[in-house]
Amino acid sequence: MAASLSQFTHTIDDIYALPDGQRAELIDGQIHLMAPPNTIHQKISWKLHQTIGNYIDAAGGTCDIFAAPFAVFLNEDEYNYVEPDISVICDRNKINDKGCLGAPDWIIEIVSPSTQRIDYGVKLFKYRTANVREYWIINPITRTVNVYDLEQNEKTCQYSFDDVIPVCIYENFSICISDLI
């Protein structure tokens, strides 16, 4: 006899009930525990956050940038809660004291061996269907960056850390990961 779907479905309440310090994401009602990030992950995240924030400030932009842990209630339902490494949100009406309600404009994930399947597969699908405009997957092991232009699909490409990578949502902005680390 097959078990009912409700037996396997978790909600955001289950995420908030986890022990203090335990990070997890909720995707389609399934909890995915998150291990602490390693040093290169943290260095890339911090440098990207700083670089993107400086660009937004210098350009007089209205977007906000947040680093993990920052809650994104992707589909504004009880079954999807993610903490992207970096979230850029241009519609300030989506931001409240709990996080982002709906899709950020730009999401960056820095993969580890334990998150590759989710970052390259499940999250790519979820971000595309939630109307995220741009999604980067940074892989420190292979030194590659997969850029997904989910809005126009014109700049979708794989780059190396040594390439100058154009940012899809900003016309005159590019980043070279090797210059940051």
Side-chain angles (χ1 to χ4, degrees), residues 15-150:
I15 294 293
Y16 285 120
L18 291 171
D20 285 345
Q22 175 64 64
R23 290 185 53 215
E25 294 181 311
L26 181 68
I27 300 173
D28 294 330
Q30 299 300 307
I31 291 178
H32 301 272
L33 298 177
M34 299 166 63
N38 64 23
T39 304
I40 190 65
H41 179 286
Q42 288 298 86
K43 186 172 186 179
I44 292 170
S45 179
W46 184 80
K47 290 289 195 172
L48 276 170
H49 187 272
Q50 182 181 44
T51 300
I52 296 165
N54 289 344
Y55 174 82
I56 292 169
D57 289 345
T62 59
C63 301
D64 288 311
I65 181 169
F66 298 92
F70 178 75
V72 173
F73 303 93
L74 197 57
N75 298 103
E76 299 182 65
D77 62 22
E78 290 295 309
Y79 305 105
N80 290 283
Y81 165 99
V82 293
E83 292 184 2
D85 291 308
I86 295 177
S87 300
V88 176
I89 302 151
C90 300
D91 179 355
R92 290 190 171 150
N93 292 322
K94 291 182 177 182
I95 301 169
N96 69 15
D97 62 335
K98 290 188 175 193
C100 178
L101 304 176
D105 293 86
W106 182 13
I107 289 178
I108 298 174
E109 297 282 8
I110 303 163
V111 300
S112 65
S114 64
T115 66
Q116 287 188 63
R117 182 186 64 79
I118 292 170
D119 291 335
Y120 285 104
V122 175
K123 285 186 178 178
L124 174 59
F125 175 77
K126 292 302 292 182
Y127 294 159
R128 182 185 306 275
T129 58
N131 295 318
V132 171
R133 295 169 58 201
E134 180 169 1
Y135 176 39
W136 285 25
I137 304 172
I138 298 175
N139 190 326
I141 298 164
T142 61
R143 295 183 52 85
T144 57
V145 180
N146 286 48
V147 173
Y148 297 93
D149 178 359
L150 301 176

